[in-house]
């Protein structure tokens, strides 16, 4: 959601703070601010709007000093404004705080602190924190922060400074991400690794309720009781250039084009033609699988849509019942979860608050948990029993692309692994599916080569107010993701429908000129229904697939993934595997088409593609 940075060293703190915040812009924000300690006084600069507003302010009114904290805010409590922007400061002194998360009991604490003479200027939940720390302050900032957090309910990552102790930053995390960077004669805090990569690759990954004190002497990590913690350094191996645009107009376009490599990297070491699927530390025995009562795939947004594809893959191959659940709904249900249940949590960032809450609840019940995430060392990856990493590399654009396709690939690998464990997948059959998966990177390249045609079609729909996406089976799951993409970045109302549901009410919305994106497989009768009512159809079909061109206004072809199964398997097996390849793996290519379509529509509309309004990359609050 929002981003936090902090610096302690000998250089000008504001230089790093601005640079670090710029690396976190992808997380989504509506205001930015910094606080720097200068000669024992905390100086604050903050502004509503883009980071450039803050940079302009600093050019006219610089903030000197070598210790400071910074923040990009995404409004949850109180509208975007200068006064609601972070950092926030106590009304009775200079204790200053930046905060990522939500304080659930801020109203009660605010009323109590007002009775103690504290004044509040903003409409935020955060302002209660510096006042609460001041209430407990007795000459030791670390102890005051510890005591204050004991009163806080909710989620938080905090960076705290005070002119009374001008040589340090105190930080803590609970249910919101925070890392510590260890440089040469300087130390950092940040919400995410890209903020510090220009300065260090040595990182502490903080756990919940771990407190940090940063000074010129270095970093110390403590438990709440004051006991020191010896943290292991995590070495960042990916290149900082991976978080830059690399010549593309936007991060999203760059990440769309990175999908062949991301898919290949995700399969590396896991898929080999003459070996079983290797899922790393995720291992089940045949007995554990036999006793498993069900699988829940739990996720939010795009990850949820990848889970819908995973459900079909696992049920097709392994014949295990799978339910896909929205994390924010699942946690407030009374789901049937036992110690025989497998909970699979999907999250690009590994910090998604609702998904993380489901994971923790499941572990309390004794369910087995598996995380599928893109971020090494994230909360979800650390707390799950097992983790499968997608190797997508840094994904900066808010709208997820390569994380989605790599999650879909992992879902197929998981289905194969479980099917093999149950003895349902013969080696020849497994080899055929592997062949199809291994073809994906080159086939995605073929889709990317069609971007000029897709951009031309995007112009035809860029001024529409409503769009409909139609599909069946896995293509319906794909339609949901396509509709989400165009909502996210082009701000067009769009809905996805299962083809057979049209006649159950939705067809009443179809009128002459209505634009429909139709994923063709098993859809021709539904397409004719809407075409006869004046709809204009953009079809997505496989190459060499027979198409009645009279019902399509435009058509985009997806490369066919070949089947090379040995004839000795027989015609029936051939048909079944050809069906699986065509309907379970090939739709991943359709996802790339829909990503490009959304991208070019948003471009035509002049939208801020990497930073869509009101959205955040990592949703770390409920």
């Amino acid at each position: 959601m929002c981003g936090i940075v902090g610096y302690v060293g000998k250089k000008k703190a504001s230089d790093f703070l601005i640079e670090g915040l710029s690396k976190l812009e992808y997380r989504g924000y509506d205001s930015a601010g910094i606080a720097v300690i200068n000669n024992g006084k905390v100086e604050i600069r903050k502004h509503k709007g883009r980071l450039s507003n803050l940079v302009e302010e600093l050019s006219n009114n610089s903030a000197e000093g070598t210790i400071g904290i910074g923040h990009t805010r995404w409004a949850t409590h109180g509208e975007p404004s200068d006064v609601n922007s972070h950092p926030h400061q106590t009304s009775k002194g200079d204790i200053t705080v930046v905060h990522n998360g939500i304080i659930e009991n801020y109203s009660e604490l605010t009323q109590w602190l007002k009775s103690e003479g504290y004044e509040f200027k903003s409409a935020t939940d955060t302002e209660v924190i510096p006042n609460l720390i001041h209430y407990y302050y007795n000459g030791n900032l670390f102890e005051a922060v510890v005591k204050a957090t004991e009163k806080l309910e909710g989620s938080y990552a905090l960076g705290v400074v005070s002119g009374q102790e001008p040589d340090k930053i105190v930080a803590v995390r609970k249910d919101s991400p925070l890392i510590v960077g260890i440089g040469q004669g300087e130390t950092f805090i940040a919400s995410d690794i890209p903020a510090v990569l220009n300065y260090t690759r040595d990182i502490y990954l903080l756990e919940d309720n771990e407190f940090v004190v940063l000074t010129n002497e270095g970093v110390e990590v403590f438990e709440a009781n004051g006991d020191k913690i010896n943290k292991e350094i995590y070495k960042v191996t990916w290149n900082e250039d991976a978080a830059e645009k690399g010549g593309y107009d936007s991060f999203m376009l760059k990440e769309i084009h990175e999908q062949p490599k991301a898919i290949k990297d995700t399969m590396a070491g896991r898929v080999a033609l003459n070996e079983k699927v290797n899922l790393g530390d995720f291992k089940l025995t045949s007995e554990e699988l036999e006793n498993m009562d069900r699988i829940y795939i739990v996720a939010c947004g795009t990850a949820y849509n990848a889970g819908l594809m995973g459900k079909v893959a696992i049920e097709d191959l392994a014949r295990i019942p799978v339910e896909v659940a929205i994390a924010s709904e699942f946690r407030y249900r009374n789901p049937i979860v036992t110690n025989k249940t497998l909970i699979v949590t999907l999250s690009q960032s590994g910090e998604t608050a609702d998904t993380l809450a489901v994971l923790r609840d499941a572990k309390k019940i004794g369910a087995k948990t598996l995380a599928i995430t893109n971020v090494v060392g994230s909360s979800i990856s650390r707390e799950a029993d097992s983790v499968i990493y997608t190797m997508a590399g840094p994904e900066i654009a808010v709208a997820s692309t390569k994380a989605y396709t790599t999650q879909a690939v992992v879902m197929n690998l998981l289905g194969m692994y479980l099917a093999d464990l149950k003895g349902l997948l013969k080696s020849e059959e497994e080899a055929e599916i592997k062949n199809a998966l291994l073809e994906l990177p080159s086939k995605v390249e073929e889709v990317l080569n069609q971007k000029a045609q897709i951009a031309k079609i995007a112009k035809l729909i860029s001024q529409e107010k409503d769009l409909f996406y139609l599909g069946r089976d896995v293509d319906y799951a794909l339609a949901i993701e396509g509709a989400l993409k165009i909502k996210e970045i082009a701000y067009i109302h769009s809905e996805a429908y299962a083809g057979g549901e049209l006649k159950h009410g939705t067809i009443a919305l179809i009128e002459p000129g209505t634009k429909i994106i139709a994923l063709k497989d098993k859809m021709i009768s539904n397409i004719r229904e809407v075409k006869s009512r004046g709809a204009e159809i953009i079809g997505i079909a496989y190459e060499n697939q027979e198409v009645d061109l009279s019902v399509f206004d435009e058509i985009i072809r997806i490369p066919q993934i070949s089947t090379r199964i040995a004839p000795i398997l027989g015609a029936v097996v051939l048909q079944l595997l050809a069906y699986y390849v065509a309907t379970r793996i090939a739709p991943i290519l359709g996802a790339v088409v829909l990503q490009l379509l959304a991208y070019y529509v948003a471009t035509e509309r002049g939208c801020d593609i990497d930073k869509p309004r009101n959205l955040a990359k990592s949703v770390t609050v409920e």
Side-chain angles (χ1 to χ4, degrees), residues 340-381:
K340 296 180 180 180
T341 304
L342 173 64
I343 302 288
V344 181
T345 53
L346 269 67
S347 169
Q348 186 283 138
S349 68
E351 302 291 349
T352 310
D354 291 305
T355 308
L356 182 57
V358 171
L359 171 65
R360 289 169 173 168
D361 290 343
K363 289 177 69 69
K364 291 176 184 176
I365 295 170
K368 191 174 185 66
T369 57
L370 168 65
I372 298 174
T373 183
N374 190 43
V375 180
V376 176
S378 57
S379 297
I380 287 174
S381 71

Side-chain angles (χ1 to χ4, degrees), residues 180-184 188 193 196-203 236:
V180 177
I182 305 161
Q184 297 294 320
F188 316 85
I193 291 171
V196 303
L197 271 187
N198 276 344
Y199 299 84
T200 182
R201 293 177 177 275
D202 293 343
I203 305 295
V236 180

Side-chain angles (χ1 to χ4, degrees), residues 47-60:
H47 276 282
K48 173 187 172 182
R50 291 298 186 192
L51 188 61
S52 57
N53 296 340
L54 179 61
V55 173
E56 184 177 353
E57 163 71 9
L58 288 169
S59 68
N60 299 318

Side-chain angles (χ1 to χ4, degrees), residues 101-307:
I102 288 180
I103 304 304
E104 296 172 357
N105 62 333
Y106 83 98
S107 181
E108 303 95 297
L109 290 173
T110 298
Q111 293 306 312
W112 170 58
L113 287 167
K114 283 182 176 179
S115 72
E116 296 291 331
Y118 290 88
E119 298 177 358
F120 289 78
K121 299 178 181 178
S122 76
T124 70
D125 56 330
T126 297
E127 194 178 1
V128 75
I129 302 172
N131 286 304
L132 190 61
I133 294 171
H134 181 271
Y135 179 85
Y136 287 111
Y137 185 72
N138 191 24
N140 188 311
L141 186 60
F142 169 75
E143 291 180 357
V145 172
V146 171
K147 290 179 180 178
T149 56
E150 290 173 355
K151 298 293 184 182
L152 299 177
E153 297 175 6
S155 60
Y156 48 83
L158 304 178
V160 186
V161 295
S162 172
Q164 300 300 309
E165 300 182 38
D167 62 337
K168 68 184 62 169
I169 296 174
V170 178
V172 59
R173 68 153 284 174
K174 177 182 176 290
D175 298 335
S176 286
L178 194 67
I179 61 100
V180 177
I182 305 161
Q184 297 294 320
E186 53 191 1
T187 53
F188 316 85
I189 58 170
S191 295
D192 204 355
I193 291 171
V196 303
L197 271 187
N198 276 344
Y199 299 84
T200 182
R201 293 177 177 275
D202 293 343
I203 305 295
Y204 285 157
L205 301 170
L206 296 183
E207 304 286 350
D208 278 353
N209 301 310
E210 289 185 342
F211 295 78
V212 184
V213 178
L214 290 76
T215 67
N216 282 322
E217 303 299 318
V219 177
E220 292 183 307
V221 185
F222 299 92
E223 295 179 1
N225 62 9
D227 290 346
K228 286 187 180 180
I229 301 171
N230 293 319
K231 296 288 289 185
E232 182 178 347
I233 290 178
Y234 168 66
K235 291 276 189 180
V236 180
T237 57
W238 45 273
N239 196 309
E240 196 270 339
D241 290 342
E244 300 298 334
K245 291 181 183 178
Y248 289 92
D249 290 338
S250 68
F251 282 114
M252 183 178 179
L253 187 60
K254 172 178 180 277
E255 289 157 10
I256 289 172
H257 281 78
E258 287 174 341
Q259 287 178 111
K261 181 180 186 301
I263 291 170
K264 185 176 180 180
D265 290 347
T266 294
M267 291 190 291
R270 294 168 175 161
V271 182
L273 291 180
N274 299 318
E275 299 177 12
K276 298 297 183 185
V277 170
N278 178 10
L279 296 183
D281 72 339
F282 177 68
K283 292 180 173 62
L284 290 175
T285 65
S286 298
E287 183 180 3
E288 286 175 325
L289 187 58
E290 184 68 28
N291 291 331
M292 190 175 293
D293 57 7
R294 74 197 70 216
I295 296 174
Y296 285 109
I297 299 175
V298 185
C300 301
T302 287
Y304 170 83
N305 297 339

